[in-house]
Amino acid sequence: MSDSEEVQTRVEDGVLIVTINRPEAKNAMNQAAAQGIAAAMDRLESESELRVAILTGAGGTFCSGMDLKGFLRGERPTVEGRGFGGITQWSPKKPLIAAVDGYALAGGMELAMACDLIVANRGAKFGIPEAKRGLAAGAGGLIRLPRQIPSRIAMELALTGDFIDAERAYALGFINDLTDGPAIEGAKALARRIADNGPLAVIASKGVIRDSGTWSDEEMWDKQQGYIANVFSSADAREGALAFAEKRKPNWTGA
């Protein structure tokens, strides 16, 4: 996959780093950037050596939301079947971490909440201010946010459009980790901890946690089995046990 002007990628130790590259527009999401993120996720899925991805923004801002100039031209920053920014209605099997500096607002906050984990600089700001512009947070803000923080706080943020800082977001459990420096450094450290683990186990664990919220008590054990059965019968499971017994680092093959 070749990078576009709007989205740049690089690989570090099995981690795919995806950067929204529109700093002059505070990384506002346009159609080209959405397509670039979707293409990066396809690469994450298709290349076995890639274990985790990080989504971040250039120039000290994560994403300021939808490009309103593009919106006025009739452009929608979505990808068919995947939603806003290429990820709000679809998730890769492998983990995706948001590294947030500056502002994650409107669609930018919705991009962050679509990721599996969030690392943010202490100075970061979050919000879904769509109501201030006569719009609604339709890319997941109204659906996902009450599942990720207390529902009354989610209601307050949606109805007032007010921002919250990273410290409060962390206290609410919305953020996994805070950094004093660039969020990407904390995100890379978290990604390395994930990439050290068995890839099949990571994919299965993400899948169960992501999907099990809709499972009933009667069906949850059978449904979980569909995700984890191949993990326990894999060569990696044997390698993990053997490496533990031999007191060495496992050599994962993803099989």
Side-chain angles (χ1 to χ4, degrees):
M1 183 203 76
S2 60
D3 292 344
S4 66
E5 291 183 3
E6 289 81 4
V7 175
Q8 299 290 309
T9 62
R10 68 182 191 274
V11 176
E12 295 183 13
D13 300 323
V15 178
L16 179 65
I17 300 173
V18 183
T19 303
I20 307 167
N21 189 40
R22 306 189 72 226
E24 75 289 347
K26 301 296 184 185
N27 296 322
M29 187 59 52
N30 63 5
Q31 190 174 75
Q35 291 171 340
I37 293 171
M41 295 301 101
D42 287 342
R43 180 181 178 187
L44 174 68
E45 296 289 77
S46 65
E47 297 184 17
S48 60
E49 64 271 22
L50 297 177
R51 303 293 178 81
V52 188
I54 296 171
L55 178 65
T56 191
T61 294
F62 180 70
C63 176
S64 59
M66 178 173 63
D67 186 327
L68 293 179
K69 293 180 181 179
F71 172 75
L72 292 174
R73 294 192 300 267
E75 179 181 302
R76 296 294 183 270
T78 61
V79 174
E80 182 69 27
R82 298 195 182 188
F84 180 88
I87 58 170
T88 59
Q89 295 179 26
W90 171 90
S91 181
K93 292 179 181 179
K94 300 172 186 176
L96 177 59
I97 303 170
V100 178
D101 298 295
Y103 291 99
L105 302 179
M109 185 173 182
E110 291 169 312
L111 283 180
M113 70 178 73
C115 295
D116 303 301
L117 303 160
I118 303 175
V119 176
N121 175 269
R122 291 183 187 277
K125 305 286 186 183
F126 297 83
I128 46 173
E130 281 88 343
K132 292 181 181 290
R133 299 290 179 265
L135 301 170
L142 304 179
I143 299 170
R144 281 201 176 96
L145 195 56
R147 301 177 182 180
Q148 297 185 6
I149 66 173
S151 61
R152 291 191 187 277
I153 304 301
M155 184 73 78
E156 175 188 343
L157 294 180
L159 300 187
T160 66
D162 291 345
F163 301 170
I164 59 172
D165 60 27
E167 296 278 0
R168 188 181 185 202
Y170 180 73
L172 290 168
F174 184 71
I175 292 172
N176 294 86
D177 198 11
L178 293 170
T179 65
D180 294 315
I184 189 66
E185 297 305 322
K188 287 195 288 187
L190 179 57
R192 285 191 293 268
R193 288 161 52 199
I194 295 170
D196 281 343
N197 296 327
L200 295 178
V202 167
I203 289 170
S205 296
K206 169 182 170 170
V208 172
I209 292 173
R210 178 193 60 208
D211 298 340
S212 60
T214 61
W215 299 349
S216 69
D217 289 349
E218 292 75 21
E219 66 184 357
M220 62 184 182
W221 296 107
D222 287 339
K223 282 188 172 290
Q224 177 181 255
Q225 190 64 16
Y227 289 70
I228 67 173
N230 69 315
V231 175
F232 284 90
S233 61
S234 68
D236 274 356
R238 181 172 178 80
E239 167 63 11
L242 188 62
F244 177 80
E246 296 177 351
K247 299 181 180 179
R248 60 173 174 81
K249 186 176 180 178
N251 179 27
W252 308 120
T253 63

